[in-house]
Amino acid sequence: MRRKPLLFMEFSLIFQDNVREDGRGCEDYRHMELETDMVSNTSGSARLRLANTDILVGVKADMGQPTADRPNQGRLEFFVDCSANATPEFEGRGGEELATEISNTLARAYDTATSLDLNSLVIIPGQQCWVLYVDIVLLECGGNLFDAVSIAVKAALYNTKIPNVTVSEEEGHTELEISDDPYDVKRLNVVSSPVLITLSKIGNCHLVDASQKEESCCLARVIMGITDKGTVTALKKEGSGSLHPDSVLDMMESGKRVGQALNKRLLEVLKDEEKLGSKKHTMGFLK
């Protein structure tokens, strides 16, 4: 008979009392540090540090063509770079699979009509639109990468400023004039943009924001995209372990509850930071 690792059994007993190794409850996140408008050559940027997980996101707005199946919408594209400095596992091409998983999950979570108003990014229907390239760099890995990345992405999109464009017709030709006034810009409405909530199953309990040690004890987890109203925009299961349907339903209810609270608090923090203006204390990379 195969014995479960001692660490797994220890965590299972602790989680049953809603207390984790670091004193958190099963639905509590670790301390976060969030800062926006960090990278000068981007349309928007953000950096998030969640315990030992460190994420940098930059958004670049460029003009392009809409897709044939969505001629009246702009485009949102995600790119993830797993820095070799984050963990030795990313050396060479070690981080490519994880980068693809994160970018695909984000694309699926944002691929709903309510997640982000892509119609507002159209300049000339069927011809010109704004394309938002979201570049994500994993600087350090300390567990719970999917959630951390999604929080940083939403913060960077909130910080994004897109120049207003004037469209005019002259002698049968369409002319586009992009404003160079830094205040003549439009902002994105990210109120309904989702964050990813990862629920890890350990023993008979499930928890959010798993540390690296907790992730090593997890055999199955569910990743959900959750909006401010609790709408599920994406759902995937990972891990070799099985999940009972009742467990999945319980995990989804927890994910909705945590996701709504996280979305609400994140927007409050972003608005408070923006109100500070030039008085904001910038940490940058010098910590």
Side-chain angles (χ1 to χ4, degrees), residues 27-147:
E27 295 186 359
D28 294 337
Y29 274 79
R30 292 166 291 178
H31 176 72
M32 299 184 198
E33 295 177 4
L34 179 64
E35 186 178 355
T36 62
D37 201 20
M38 296 187 55
V39 186
S40 59
N41 61 344
T42 62
S43 304
S45 60
R47 184 193 183 191
L48 176 80
R49 189 167 183 87
L50 172 62
N52 291 329
T53 296
D54 201 354
I55 310 294
L56 179 65
V57 177
V59 180
K60 188 69 174 178
D62 284 331
M63 298 181 81
Q65 293 182 334
T67 58
D69 59 328
R70 298 181 180 182
N72 297 317
Q73 292 185 358
R75 288 157 43 202
L76 183 65
E77 300 186 7
F78 298 97
F79 302 91
V80 179
D81 177 27
C82 297
S83 171
N85 294 327
T87 172
E89 297 176 5
F90 291 166
E91 291 182 359
R93 303 179 63 179
E96 286 187 2
E97 184 177 348
L98 175 62
T100 301
E101 287 182 10
I102 294 176
S103 59
N104 289 344
T105 304
L106 286 170
R108 189 157 56 247
Y110 274 83
D111 191 25
T112 63
T114 57
S115 293
L116 197 65
D117 184 15
L118 296 180
N119 293 321
S120 65
L121 300 179
V122 170
I123 302 171
I124 303 176
Q127 298 181 38
Q128 289 288 331
C129 69
W130 286 108
V131 183
L132 301 182
Y133 297 99
V134 183
D135 294 309
I136 303 157
V137 182
L138 309 185
L139 299 173
E140 189 175 353
C141 299
N144 199 21
L145 289 176
F146 283 82
D147 297 25

Side-chain angles (χ1 to χ4, degrees), residues 242-249:
S242 60
L243 292 173
H244 191 277
D246 290 341
S247 294
V248 175
L249 292 176

Side-chain angles (χ1 to χ4, degrees), residues 63 123-129 165-178:
M63 298 181 81
I123 302 171
I124 303 176
Q127 298 181 38
Q128 289 288 331
C129 69
V165 180
T166 302
V167 182
S168 60
E169 293 282 345
E170 292 186 10
E171 299 179 356
H173 296 284
T174 302
E175 298 289 337
L176 301 179
E177 182 180 350
I178 303 176

Side-chain angles (χ1 to χ4, degrees), residues 86 209 253:
D209 187 26
E253 288 302 315

Side-chain angles (χ1 to χ4, degrees), residues 216-275:
S216 67
C217 300
C218 173
L219 297 179
R221 64 179 183 175
V222 172
I223 301 173
M224 306 171 62
I226 304 293
T227 69
D228 62 319
K229 291 183 171 57
T231 303
V232 180
T233 63
L235 179 66
K236 67 177 294 189
K237 182 261 183 186
E238 289 189 338
S240 59
S242 60
L243 292 173
H244 191 277
D246 290 341
S247 294
V248 175
L249 292 176
D250 288 342
M251 294 169 81
M252 290 181 66
E253 288 302 315
S254 295
K256 292 178 183 179
R257 183 167 55 249
V258 173
Q260 284 183 277
L262 181 57
N263 273 300
K264 179 181 178 181
R265 183 57 184 149
L266 176 58
L267 285 175
E268 290 174 351
V269 169
L270 291 171
K271 290 177 181 178
D272 288 344
E273 184 195 40
E274 190 172 38
K275 289 177 183 177

